[in-house]
Structure formats: structure tokens, C-alpha cells
Amino acid sequence: MKSEWADSPQRIGWIGTGIMGAAMCGHLLDAGHDVTLFTRTESRAAPQLERGARWAASPRRVAESADVVFTIVGYPHDVREVVLDPDGALHGAAAGSVLVDMTTSEPSLAREIAAAAQARGVASLDAPVSGGDIGAREARLSIMVGGDAATFQRLQPLLARLGKTIVHQGPAGSGQHTKMVNQIAIASNMVGVCEALLYAQRAGLDVATVLQSIGGGAAASFSLATYAPRMLAGDYAPGFMVEHFIKDLGIALAEAQRMALALPGLALAHQLYVALTAQGHGRKGTHALLLALQQLNAAR
Amino acid sequence: MKSEWADSPQRIGWIGTGIMGAAMCGHLLDAGHDVTLFTRTESRAAPQLERGARWAASPRRVAESADVVFTIVGYPHDVREVVLDPDGALHGAAAGSVLVDMTTSEPSLAREIAAAAQARGVASLDAPVSGGDIGAREARLSIMVGGDAATFQRLQPLLARLGKTIVHQGPAGSGQHTKMVNQIAIASNMVGVCEALLYAQRAGLDVATVLQSIGGGAAASFSLATYAPRMLAGDYAPGFMVEHFIKDLGIALAEAQRMALALPGLALAHQLYVALTAQGHGRKGTHALLLALQQLNAAR
């Protein structure tokens, strides 16, 4: 069933123009959509405003002039503020419009938003992404979607402007849960990659030569291939920032606890990342975890 | 510098015909080499003997009629027995011959063997492998080699019959250290993969659909791609057996401690695998770790 929206420009609302949001919003402007915008700091929206987006004074005002409102902000409390607060998008959203939260946030908050929206005749999706700033710029993100199937169908043409792998994972909260699955797998793998490299260094091996032996076999992973060379070069610039990863791992731990699910590897990874911020590395990339393990094992 | 050995059949000694050793020895028989064989249980050598290998009564006797002796047995104490004991290969090895241990074993034992061999004018390599039974059958193993460079050069044509990625990692023990790096990376990644899948199951997600979203991104790994589908199917047949993996992780922990190196992720993974054997799953594949995490979180 093709939506009547599929091929026509729509009134888009966009809230949040961080590194990810700015690139993603740009794709919708490129596609000729009418975009109304709100960010906490108006000056950060200048590039979008210059390209024809209109400014609104609040998330609520954004929603009042949009058919679909995208949010991609920082923390769950930011999502709550821009969606559920009295000046939030939900309170400006007309019946029949759609809220799409692309922030990595709490599955339980996604369900809460979905219920509040449904009570007002508004549809909603949770649609967090992975793929980083490069994926956002090149519209190659993986978008993990929770919400009802009809709304997913209706939004697919728009989501296809932002990402490449767009999968409906189930009812409200399922997109966020899927993102947590992704982060849980990454967290312990990063521990393994960093411990492996530290062992190699301490054993006096040449790490680049070690990678020739192990990079193509059972130890192969995106993180090993992507980050080991950067660690070797001492390059800890963020692909994905430690502070954001800690937020995600904290959400995963809390949700797991809510399900009475103990995940010891996740808990350990989380603690090592907390230590990494204690050491002053919170704004480095996640592969800076090697530094925390080096510090743990450093002579005073 | 090409070895004078490169193109001519040689007298090969082979000790150990487990799943890996049997396949690897077969490749040297295929190549027309004269093979003398010892295994703990003679009947297990029947296939090789039928193909023309000769039986010897001890590792020492094997070495007495070989230019190069390969060992691939179970545990470090087995390596010690078949190489260093009075009836071991070293005591039958002529000056100028070579001992190659392909068991995954202790780096410190590899150095001990190298020193003992050198004292008798015998060369030695530690050359553990990864790639599993399939890699052994198809001669696609990764072979990680420690020892002096000249001996590595000399053995390369033989090793090329057994594997595809053959890399000299440094002096004696470096092959074993490299294998430990490989296992350390795998161990925590397997924790992450299993915790991620368990979270997905508990969250009510469809795991196969989740893999569509996360399998191609930052969470991608050999273990996720290879084992997640088997876990979904309830197939815990060993690719690589839990008991063997615990041996490897124990070696890695001991060597790390010897280097005064704390690796908390490795320690946790090791403990979870010990729990898995406590639960009776020691002869399943390493991806059965999911069962230990399920048991940890099971209602009584």
C-alpha cells in the first residue's frame, strides 16, 4: 500500500541540529521539503535557515506547522522536554500528524510518548540510528524503527532520504530496544579489542603485524578493523563520543534491570567507560577505552 | 633467499591427529612428503597410516627419522611431554632439524622449548593456528609464527601447505602471544554478542529482524555473523569447543598476570565460560555462552 504522501513535498518539523541532526535535516531540505526548525541554540540552526528552513520559537510551534516532526536531541530528558512538556511538540501536533524521535533514548519513554500521542490522535515512531556522522552525511544510516506498521509504511519514503537500512522492529520502543542490542554488542567487543591490543603491546608484538594474522579470522569485527589502526596512530578523535556511549550503556543497563536481566559484560564495559571519563577522556572517541586500560595498568 | 628445501619432498614427523592435526597432516601426505607419525592412541592414526604414513613408537622415534617435526596436541603439559620429556621429540632431533609446535600453548613454554632446542643445535617455531576444522581441511588457516626469521623462511613452503595467512610475528613465543591476542578479542566479543542476543530475546524483539538492522554496522563481527544464526536455531555444535577455549583463556590470563597486566574483560569472560562448563556445556561450541547467560537469568 503506497502512501498518498510518498511523492509529494511535506511540511516537516525538525528539532535538534547537532552533528547528526544537521546532516539529516539537510537531506530533507535537499528533497524540497518545507522545513520548520527549532534548536536550543538558534545560532546553530543558521545553515538550515540560510537554506530556506523557517525558525519556530518552540517545539510546540514547530509541530503546529508540520505534518511530520523529527526530534534528534541529546538525552532522554531532552526528548521528554521537546516532546511531552507543555511547550513540546505533542501539544502542537494536529490529529493525523506523526512524531518521529531519532534520539537514542529509553524504550520505556518511547512507549510513554506513543501512548500520549495516541490519546491525541497523533502517530509516533521511535527511530534511533546508527552509522555515525559519516552515515548521516551520506544518508547511509541504519534506522531501527518501533511503532505501528501503518505509520512505518507512511514514513518510509521520508526515512529513505536519511538512511539505507530501514527496518521495522516491532511496536513502540522496539527501535530503541534494537539500538540497545547494537550498543551492548559493541561495548563488550570494544573491551575485547582494547584488551587484545594492550596485551599485544605489553607482549612486545608489533600490533600492525598482529592485525595481519588476526584481522581476517574469528576475531574480525568492525571495531577491530576501524579502531585498531587509529589506536596505533594515537588518534582518539571521536567517531562516536565516550559521553554519548555512556548515556546509551546506562539506558541499556536500566532497561535490562527493568526486565530483571543481569548483563555482567555490559556492566563491566559501562564501568570502564565511567573510569575513562574520570580520567578526562569523555569527549574522545569510544576507542579511547584503550587509555583507561593502560591507565589501570600503569606504574605510578 | 629461497631454501634448498622448497621444492623437494622432506622427511616429516607428525605428532597429534585430532580434528585439526589429522586434516593438516593429510595435506603433507597429499604433497608427497614422507611422514612418520605418533599419536597417543594408535588407532586414531589409521587413516594416515593407510595413506602411507609410518608409525613410530614415541615422539623421540618420530624425530629420529624426520627433518621437521610438527606437534599439535591438547594442553601445554602435552606439549611439554611430547617435546621435552626424555621420550620427547627434542631428544630424537638431529642438529639442523626443526621442531614446529602448532598447539595453542604457553608463550613461556615456547621460549623454553626454543632455548632447549637451540642448546642442541635444533631450530624451533611456535606456530599456533586459527580457522577451525574447516580452515584446517581447506588449508586456509591463519598461522601465527614465533621463532627466528631464517627458520621461518625455511619452513614457509611447508606451512603454505597448511594455511593461507602465514605471518612471522617475532622471536620465540610471539606466535603464541599473537594467538592469545586473537582469543582475548574473541572472548569479550562473544560476551557482547550473547548478552545482546539475550537482551533482544527478553525485550520481545525478533532476533533475525534485529540482525538485519545491526549486522552490517558498528556491531558487525565474525562472531555475530557466524554464531547468532546458530544460537537462534538452538544449534550449539562446536565450531570451537568450550573446553579448549577455557584452556586458551587460562593461558592468556596467566601470561597477562606474568606481565603484571590486568584484563578485567578477559577475566569475566573466563569466569562465564567456567560457569558454562559447570552447567555441563563444556563440549559444546563457544557460542553456547548464551546458555550460561540464560541460566544466570533464569527463574528457578
Side-chain angles (χ1 to χ4, degrees):
Chain A
M1 186 192 71
K2 196 162 186 182
S3 159
E4 74 273 27
W5 290 12
D7 299 315
S8 60
Q10 288 159 60
R11 299 186 308 154
I12 302 292
W14 196 277
I15 295 166
T17 54
I19 292 175
M20 302 292 288
M24 294 158 75
C25 180
H27 295 310
L28 297 184
L29 286 166
D30 288 344
H33 291 290
D34 173 36
V35 175
T36 303
L37 197 68
F38 173 82
T39 65
R40 200 151 41 190
T41 312
E42 185 173 351
S43 60
R44 291 197 62 180
Q48 287 76 39
L49 298 177
E50 278 167 25
R51 294 180 57 195
R54 280 173 310 161
W55 178 256
S58 72
R60 179 177 183 151
R61 290 291 173 82
V62 167
E64 284 169 356
S65 50
D67 305 308
V68 182
V69 179
F70 292 91
T71 49
I72 181 161
V73 293
Y75 291 82
H77 65 81
D78 298 314
V79 174
R80 184 175 290 281
E81 184 184 321
V82 301
V83 177
L84 295 177
D85 273 8
D87 252 353
L90 180 57
H91 300 278
S97 66
V98 187
L99 305 179
V100 184
D101 182 32
M102 306 191 81
T103 317
T104 294
S105 171
E106 298 161 352
S108 48
L109 178 55
R111 287 193 298 271
E112 183 183 343
I113 289 171
Q118 192 177 21
R120 303 174 62 102
V122 173
S124 75
L125 297 176
D126 50 296
V129 302
S130 88
D133 51 347
I134 296 173
R137 275 202 303 277
E138 299 179 356
R140 289 192 296 105
L141 296 168
S142 171
I143 309 180
M144 299 157 251
V145 187
D148 69 82
T151 306
F152 174 73
Q153 287 294 339
R154 199 170 140 195
L155 265 286
Q156 214 164 17
L158 279 174
L159 296 176
R161 296 280 179 187
L162 309 178
K164 193 175 138 199
T165 306
I166 301 161
V167 182
H168 182 228
Q169 291 290 349
S174 301
Q176 296 297 350
H177 271 317
T178 301
K179 179 69 187 279
M180 291 302 119
V181 173
N182 189 69
Q183 304 303 68
I184 292 167
I186 291 171
S188 284
N189 189 35
M190 195 66 88
V191 172
V193 165
C194 291
E195 289 191 358
L197 259 67
L198 183 56
Y199 179 103
Q201 290 174 336
R202 286 293 177 90
L205 298 172
D206 180 80
V207 177
T209 308
V210 169
L211 293 175
Q212 290 175 32
S213 280
I214 75 169
S221 67
F222 174 91
S223 291
L224 184 68
T226 305
Y227 294 121
R230 297 190 197 176
M231 289 188 255
L232 270 183
D235 170 13
Y236 295 107
F240 188 64
M241 203 181 280
V242 169
E243 285 177 356
H244 298 160
F245 199 45
I246 288 182
K247 174 196 78 168
D248 296 358
L249 301 188
I251 293 171
L253 281 170
E255 290 286 330
Q257 183 170 351
R258 203 164 299 181
M259 298 189 283
L261 184 63
L263 298 177
L266 174 62
L268 174 61
H270 179 256
Q271 288 299 298
L272 291 172
Y273 274 107
V274 170
L276 186 60
T277 59
Q279 294 162 21
H281 302 306
R283 301 188 70 76
K284 290 193 168 69
T286 49
H287 56 299
L289 188 65
L290 178 63
L291 300 175
L293 290 161
Q294 284 174 336
Q295 173 82 357
L296 177 68
N297 286 288
R300 294 187 63 197
Chain B
M1 185 192 72
K2 196 163 186 182
S3 159
E4 74 272 28
W5 291 13
D7 299 317
S8 61
Q10 289 157 60
R11 298 184 310 152
I12 302 293
W14 196 276
I15 295 165
T17 53
I19 292 174
M20 302 291 289
M24 294 158 76
C25 180
H27 295 311
L28 297 184
L29 286 166
D30 288 344
H33 290 290
D34 174 34
V35 175
T36 304
L37 196 68
F38 174 80
T39 65
R40 199 151 43 189
T41 312
E42 185 174 350
S43 60
R44 290 196 63 179
Q48 288 76 38
L49 298 177
E50 278 168 24
R51 294 180 58 193
R54 279 174 310 160
W55 178 256
S58 71
R60 180 177 183 149
R61 290 292 175 81
V62 168
E64 284 169 357
S65 50
D67 305 308
V68 182
V69 180
F70 292 91
T71 49
I72 181 162
V73 293
Y75 290 83
H77 66 82
D78 299 314
V79 175
R80 183 175 290 282
E81 183 184 322
V82 301
V83 177
L84 294 177
D85 273 8
D87 252 353
L90 180 58
H91 299 277
S97 66
V98 187
L99 305 179
V100 184
D101 182 33
M102 307 191 80
T103 316
T104 295
S105 173
E106 298 162 352
S108 49
L109 178 57
R111 287 194 298 271
E112 184 183 341
I113 289 171
Q118 192 176 20
R120 302 175 63 103
V122 173
S124 74
L125 297 175
D126 50 297
V129 303
S130 87
D133 51 347
I134 296 173
R137 276 200 303 276
E138 298 179 355
R140 289 193 294 108
L141 295 168
S142 171
I143 309 180
M144 300 156 252
V145 187
D148 69 82
T151 306
F152 173 74
Q153 287 295 337
R154 198 169 141 197
L155 265 286
Q156 215 165 18
L158 279 175
L159 296 176
R161 296 278 179 190
L162 309 177
K164 193 175 140 199
T165 307
I166 301 161
V167 182
H168 183 226
Q169 291 290 348
S174 301
Q176 297 296 351
H177 271 316
T178 301
K179 179 68 186 279
M180 292 301 120
V181 174
N182 189 67
Q183 304 302 68
I184 292 167
I186 291 172
S188 284
N189 189 34
M190 196 67 88
V191 173
V193 165
C194 291
E195 289 191 357
L197 259 67
L198 183 56
Y199 179 103
Q201 290 175 336
R202 286 294 177 89
L205 298 172
D206 180 81
V207 177
T209 307
V210 169
L211 293 175
Q212 290 175 32
S213 279
I214 75 169
S221 67
F222 174 92
S223 291
L224 184 69
T226 306
Y227 294 121
R230 296 190 197 174
M231 289 188 255
L232 269 183
D235 170 12
Y236 295 108
F240 188 64
M241 204 181 281
V242 168
E243 285 176 357
H244 298 160
F245 198 45
I246 287 182
K247 174 196 78 167
D248 297 357
L249 301 188
I251 293 171
L253 281 170
E255 290 286 329
Q257 183 169 352
R258 203 165 298 181
M259 299 189 281
L261 184 63
L263 298 177
L266 174 61
L268 174 62
H270 178 257
Q271 288 299 298
L272 291 172
Y273 275 106
V274 170
L276 187 59
T277 58
Q279 293 162 20
H281 301 306
R283 300 188 71 76
K284 291 193 168 68
T286 49
H287 56 298
L289 188 64
L290 179 63
L291 300 176
L293 291 162
Q294 284 174 336
Q295 173 83 358
L296 177 69
N297 285 287
R300 294 187 62 197

